[in-house]
Amino acid sequence: QVQLVESGGGLVQAGGSLRLSCVASGPTVTTPIMGWFRQAPGKERDFVAAHSSSSGKTYYANSLEGRFAVSRDNKNTMYVQMNSLEPEDTAVYYCAATTKVRDISRANEYDYWGQGTQVTVSS
């Protein structure tokens, strides 16, 4: 069973930056795709970004590309650098992983999820 653990969340002022980490353990060779999603109170879980270690490609939500940047230092650890944060970025951020997807931005195509880390951006 693949396990995912996020860290790096916290409280930051608008305009600030945070870097979230996700460490995967277990049979991670089966989960080349890792992604970030976020969920604000009362809202659906939205796609943030994802990376495929098979293709080497990174994908971003259109509205976030340019402020958020994903990196992956090996198959097991992924980061998201979040810059110029806005109060609207306040959410629980989740790391997810899976073997293959038809649509990398769809949350229901991911098999494994972390517990999430809270990001709060104050105005």
Side-chain angles (χ1 to χ4, degrees), residues 34-92:
M34 294 182 71
W36 288 100
F37 290 78
R38 67 185 185 182
Q39 188 166 19
K43 296 188 177 180
E44 295 184 350
R45 192 167 294 190
D46 292 332
F47 175 70
V48 172
H51 178 273
S52 170
S53 61
S54 299
S55 66
K57 293 183 178 180
T58 304
Y59 306 82
Y60 293 95
N62 289 339
S63 61
L64 299 178
E65 190 167 13
R67 292 196 299 123
F68 288 22
V70 165
S71 60
R72 196 165 172 182
D73 58 5
N74 54 47
K75 287 185 178 180
N76 300 339
T77 305
M78 184 174 67
Y79 308 91
V80 58
Q81 177 68 42
M82 307 185 296
N83 299 322
S84 301
L85 284 164
E86 305 167 353
E88 293 73 22
D89 295 316
T90 295
V92 177

Side-chain angles (χ1 to χ4, degrees), residues 16-27:
S17 299
L18 280 175
R19 187 193 195 204
L20 306 183
S21 302
C22 174
V23 178
S25 61

Side-chain angles (χ1 to χ4, degrees), residues 5-6 22 24-25 30 36 49 60 62 75 95 98 100 107 115 122:
V5 179
E6 305 97 334
C22 174
S25 61
T30 66
W36 288 100
Y60 293 95
N62 289 339
K75 287 185 178 180
C95 177
T98 191
K100 60 181 179 179
Q115 293 299 307
S122 63

